[in-house]
Amino acid sequence: MKLNAGNLGNIAAGIVTPGYARSTAGATIVHIGVGGFFRAHQAVYLDDLLQLATQPAWHYCGVGLLPQDSAMRDAMQAQDCLYTVVEHSAAGDVARVIGAMSEFLFAPDDPQAVLEKLAHPDTRIVSLTITEGGYYINHGTGKFDPGHADIVHDLAHPQAPHFAFGYLAEALERRRQRGLVPFVVMSCDNLENNGDVTRMALLGFAQLRDPALHAWLERECHFPNSMVDRITPATTDVHRALVAAQFGIDDAWPVVAEPFRQWVIEDQFAHGRPDWERVGAQMTDDVRPYEKMKLRLLNASHQALCYLGMLLGYRYAHEAMADDRIRTLVRAMMQTEVIPLLATPAGINLQQYCDTVIERFSNPALNDQLARIGTEGSARIPKFVLPSIVEALQAGRPITLLSLTVACWLRYLTGIDEAGRPMPINDPHAARLQALVLRVGANPQDLLAQHDLFGDLGQNQAFFALLQAQLGSLYRDGVEHTLVRMAAASTP
């Protein structure tokens, strides 16, 4: 049965469907970057909340900015913005239909419609999942990069932008001219201090565009930090077939996720917000301890297992975690090299958190692709792994396994695994980095000189020597031998 509003009443019993009147009117959250994670995370929280009320007070309007978002446009428009979320675990599959997103706008079709939606008085919050690389931050300096080609384009065409910050700035300028308050801008990407990073990027863009807009935003606009967590594999035809066969729903773009989800939000919403705390989100004055814990433990460990796993020919996270040597290294990296650098967030036991991370990565029902986890390593390694290395070096603590993660990433950039098979590389800097890796091999000196990635860490001799030794082992002795040796050294 085709999924759409007219068929909701015919969905099989036991599958939760929207029990509320869906509307495109009233308080709006515009979300830019409608991918699987947003649909399995933020939209699910709002769907939970709307199920508690007789009339919805909020709804999502999804926005796709990039040409490749046309496939999502086609799926969502054909299905009245409804889609299926399947919670996938060893205990079984549970499906529900999500209705919290009532609209989807595709910017290349009608950029003015998107700008006017953002500028509309009903739009109170604009949330973002635009990937770690979408904030135009130079990782070497930690500052906004005004020279990026996307930024240069949108500054030259302020009324006809192509990218997120150009759209935000133009819509906010329209609100300023109309005497409206700015919307709250909420990043839901995996960035440490993601609200602060968003503020720096948008204010940096606004300063170049118009100092008066910059001054208004600096004074009036709010950028709450948040921590988001849910493992969400990319949707495949296997997932579509599963939803059709197991639940009788013809859904062009379902999303599969683990049962676990977490959302910690800094409570900075000047003009109202959904009561997310009623459905399990944690509102707080300080997200940073939770954010740092998640990025440095879960996300850094994801990087460790994905590059090791791909180099050894594994395709999925659970396959890599079934290799006791990888499992040993991931746990040892968290426990011996990262946890000592962390403050313990309120209500969290860090050892138990590590156990949960291992359990989640090992979920065989998810089939989470290592290639997905390894996407945009040039943005993720500097955000998830290098900060711990910097802090550990300052504290005189070990960095052996953290630096091995970096070494495996660099070896992965050759594009060939241990058995000589090609590996997919999805990275905006792939051409530059792969050319460097293939030229320098086991000598990382020129790689560490890439200041936009490594910053001042690239000049640290202790890190250079360790990374050179590990790359030498990966190239000379092979990934398998290196893994055996490192796992033996890390076993208690």
Side-chain angles (χ1 to χ4, degrees), residues 299-381:
N299 291 108
S301 297
H302 247 166
Q303 298 299 286
L305 79 91
C306 81
Y307 298 120
L308 268 171
M310 281 191 283
L311 287 168
L312 291 174
Y314 297 124
R315 291 184 59 198
Y316 299 105
H318 71 274
E319 292 176 341
M321 292 302 287
D323 187 321
D324 287 339
R325 302 161 305 178
I326 295 178
R327 192 183 186 96
T328 295
L329 288 186
V330 169
R331 184 181 291 278
M333 187 180 82
M334 287 193 289
Q335 291 183 334
T336 65
E337 296 188 5
V338 180
I339 281 181
L341 305 173
L342 300 176
T344 303
I348 299 291
N349 179 302
L350 290 176
Q351 293 295 335
Q352 291 177 359
Y353 184 85
C354 290
D355 292 341
T356 301
V357 166
I358 295 291
E359 180 183 354
R360 292 168 64 195
F361 288 175
S362 304
N363 183 349
L366 275 183
N367 284 332
D368 194 11
Q369 305 95 330
L370 295 176
R372 179 197 74 84
I373 300 168
T375 297
E376 292 193 12
S378 64
R380 295 181 176 185
I381 290 288

Side-chain angles (χ1 to χ4, degrees), residues 69-79 104 106 109 252-253:
D69 293 327
S70 61
M72 183 66 73
R73 170 204 61 194
D74 295 344
M76 291 300 97
Q77 289 180 355
Q79 296 178 184
F104 184 90
F106 181 56
D109 280 348
W253 215 308

Side-chain angles (χ1 to χ4, degrees), residues 385-403:
V385 181
L386 300 188
S388 290
I389 292 176
V390 170
E391 290 182 21
L393 287 169
Q394 291 170 346
R397 297 200 56 83
I399 59 167
T400 302
L401 301 176
L402 288 162
S403 60

Side-chain angles (χ1 to χ4, degrees), residues 308-309 312 314 323-327 329 404 473-474 478-489:
L308 268 171
L312 291 174
Y314 297 124
D323 187 321
D324 287 339
R325 302 161 305 178
I326 295 178
R327 192 183 186 96
L329 288 186
L404 178 65
S473 178
L474 291 170
V479 180
E480 183 85 24
H481 177 86
T482 302
L483 178 59
V484 169
R485 178 173 55 81
M486 297 291 284

Side-chain angles (χ1 to χ4, degrees), residues 6 11 20 61 75 97 115 118 159 181 192 203 226 279 297 340 397 401 403 410 435-436 450:
I11 298 290
Y20 49 85
C61 171
V97 175
L115 287 167
L118 290 164
Q159 282 79 45
V181 297
E192 196 163 345
L203 291 183
S226 69
V279 289
L297 291 173
R397 297 200 56 83
L401 301 176
S403 60
L410 296 176
L436 265 174
Q450 306 302 302

Side-chain angles (χ1 to χ4, degrees), residues 73-330:
R73 170 204 61 194
D74 295 344
M76 291 300 97
Q77 289 180 355
Q79 296 178 184
D80 301 314
C81 292
L82 296 165
Y83 60 91
T84 314
V85 170
V86 178
E87 291 189 356
H88 225 0
S89 73
D93 297 333
V94 178
R96 60 188 288 187
V97 175
I98 303 298
M101 183 169 63
S102 302
E103 305 171 81
F104 184 90
L105 301 177
F106 181 56
D109 280 348
D110 191 348
Q112 294 306 312
V114 173
L115 287 167
E116 283 303 307
K117 185 69 179 181
L118 290 164
H120 195 280
D122 284 347
T123 296
R124 311 284 182 82
I125 300 168
V126 175
S127 54
L128 308 170
T129 48
I130 54 177
T131 78
E132 296 83 2
Y135 292 80
Y136 309 106
I137 302 301
N138 181 302
H139 305 300
T141 65
K143 303 297 183 184
F144 174 65
D145 178 9
H148 194 285
D150 297 352
I151 300 301
V152 172
H153 174 276
D154 281 5
L155 286 171
H157 305 88
Q159 282 79 45
H162 286 173
F163 306 103
F165 290 101
Y167 270 94
L168 294 176
E170 173 60 19
L172 286 162
E173 175 61 16
R174 294 184 186 190
R175 294 175 77 105
R176 186 174 78 94
Q177 295 295 337
R178 297 169 189 176
L180 300 173
V181 297
F183 43 69
V184 169
V185 183
M186 181 171 65
S187 170
C188 297
D189 278 302
N190 284 317
L191 298 166
E192 196 163 345
N193 304 316
N194 56 10
D196 298 337
V197 169
T198 307
R199 183 179 193 276
M200 176 174 61
L202 183 57
L203 291 183
F205 184 93
Q207 179 65 46
L208 295 170
R209 174 182 162 140
D210 181 357
L213 174 63
H214 171 273
W216 182 68
L217 293 176
E218 188 173 42
R219 185 176 64 251
E220 302 290 343
C221 198
H222 293 269
F223 301 84
N225 290 297
S226 69
M227 185 271 267
V228 295
D229 193 5
R230 192 174 208 185
I231 296 174
T232 310
T235 299
T236 67
D237 287 340
V238 171
H239 296 142
R240 295 180 180 93
L242 178 149
V243 171
Q246 194 165 334
F247 302 106
I249 299 173
D250 178 5
D251 187 340
W253 215 308
V255 59
V256 170
E258 64 174 337
F260 180 94
R261 55 184 158 108
Q262 186 178 19
W263 198 5
V264 184
I265 311 168
E266 193 173 54
D267 204 352
Q268 286 192 28
F269 296 86
H271 313 295
R273 62 167 177 80
D275 296 330
W276 287 304
E277 63 270 34
R278 293 182 64 196
V279 289
Q282 182 176 348
M283 308 304 297
T284 181
D285 293 330
D286 188 4
V287 171
R288 288 172 296 180
Y290 301 91
E291 199 171 53
K292 186 174 181 179
M293 171 193 72
K294 190 254 180 174
L295 298 178
R296 304 285 186 90
L297 291 173
L298 184 141
N299 291 108
S301 297
H302 247 166
Q303 298 299 286
L305 79 91
C306 81
Y307 298 120
L308 268 171
M310 281 191 283
L311 287 168
L312 291 174
Y314 297 124
R315 291 184 59 198
Y316 299 105
H318 71 274
E319 292 176 341
M321 292 302 287
D323 187 321
D324 287 339
R325 302 161 305 178
I326 295 178
R327 192 183 186 96
T328 295
L329 288 186
V330 169

Side-chain angles (χ1 to χ4, degrees), residues 394-465:
Q394 291 170 346
R397 297 200 56 83
I399 59 167
T400 302
L401 301 176
L402 288 162
S403 60
L404 178 65
T405 299
V406 179
C408 288
W409 171 56
L410 296 176
R411 168 63 180 81
Y412 151 83
L413 286 170
T414 65
I416 302 295
D417 73 9
E418 180 89 320
R421 295 167 296 214
M423 294 182 293
I425 299 177
N426 184 354
D427 193 295
H429 300 289
R432 167 173 61 115
L433 293 175
Q434 188 169 37
L436 265 174
V437 164
L438 293 175
R439 177 169 62 82
V440 304
N443 185 349
Q445 184 171 356
D446 289 349
L447 289 160
L448 293 179
Q450 306 302 302
H451 194 266
D452 61 324
L453 299 180
F454 290 97
D456 293 341
L457 178 61
Q459 301 173 22
N460 185 285
Q461 290 304 304
F463 177 55
F464 168 77

